[in-house]
Amino acid sequence: MSRPSESHAGLPEPPQQRVGPPALPAQDRDPAPARTSARSLGFDRFNTAPAADAEAALLGCCCSARWAQRLAAHRPYPDLDALLAAADEAGYDMAPADLAEALAAEVSPGLHHAAPHSAHLALSAAHAAYESRFGHVFVICLDAVHPAEHPDQVLAGIRARLGHDPDEERVVTADEMRRLTRGRIIDLVTGAGPA
């Protein structure tokens, strides 16, 4: 999904004729209230910032303190690919408590405020069922999905993943978090995510 087409949580979309369901706020980029905002620093500035500043910026990408400390401690990175590889490796090495810490700061994707009330109710019920089963919010990376398809993808994702056993869902959730985090890191150091 390209950057310009994303909707932003909390900001109304400009008036326009829409075909299909309203877009979801972009969970894959918009920080949760508990996370610091991942503002674009630029790659060189990220590499040279004081460790505390780099960690704070990284917490806007993934709210695991150990994960952020690990990435900040290994700076400077020669290029974006090296940073993303280190982020992936740190993500794969997350202990269950680290993943739980990161998930606690996430916000489940929701519908645009203009969506019908019945759609909001259906999505709320699906999120509640997921959270009751697994004990954390539902996360999904929608980078490759057109915004008009977000509501259907989220509902389909929740329905499919409700059939997972807890161990299987932990693996899927960790993978979705890594995907979300990669996009947020790209935003952090370049100001633009993948096209």
Side-chain angles (χ1 to χ4, degrees), residues 24 107-111 117-140 150-163 169:
L24 289 164
V107 175
S108 296
L111 294 173
H117 182 66
S118 60
H120 283 282
L121 289 175
L123 188 60
S124 292
H127 280 300
Y130 180 91
E131 290 176 27
S132 175
R133 175 149 169 72
F134 297 112
H136 59 78
V137 299
F138 175 79
V139 292
I140 187 169
H150 287 183
D152 291 336
Q153 290 295 315
V154 170
L155 281 170
I158 291 173
R159 287 183 187 128
R161 289 166 57 183
L162 277 170
E169 183 56 21

Side-chain angles (χ1 to χ4, degrees), residues 158-178:
I158 291 173
R159 287 183 187 128
R161 289 166 57 183
L162 277 170
H164 291 170
D165 66 51
D167 290 336
E168 183 181 14
E169 183 56 21
R170 265 191 293 281
V171 171
V172 173
T173 297
D175 186 54
E176 291 296 323
M177 279 300 303
R178 279 189 297 279

Side-chain angles (χ1 to χ4, degrees), residues 27 29-37 59-63 102 105-106 184:
Q27 177 193 32
R29 299 290 176 257
D30 292 331
R35 275 200 319 259
T36 57
S37 177
L59 286 171
C61 300
C62 177
C63 203
E106 292 295 321
R184 291 169 181 164

Side-chain angles (χ1 to χ4, degrees), residues 46 50-52 54-55 58 66-77:
F46 169 76
E55 287 174 24
L58 287 164
R66 282 179 12 109
W67 176 89
Q69 290 164 355
R70 178 175 170 175
L71 283 182
H74 288 95
R75 294 171 308 137
Y77 294 95

Side-chain angles (χ1 to χ4, degrees), residues 3 19 27 30 40 59-60 66 75 109 113 116 126 140 145 148-149 169 173 181-183 186-187:
R3 274 294 150 236
V19 177
Q27 177 193 32
D30 292 331
S40 179
L59 286 171
R66 282 179 12 109
R75 294 171 308 137
H113 64 85
I140 187 169
V145 179
E149 298 173 14
E169 183 56 21
T173 297
T181 299
R182 285 178 66 87
I186 291 168
D187 284 349

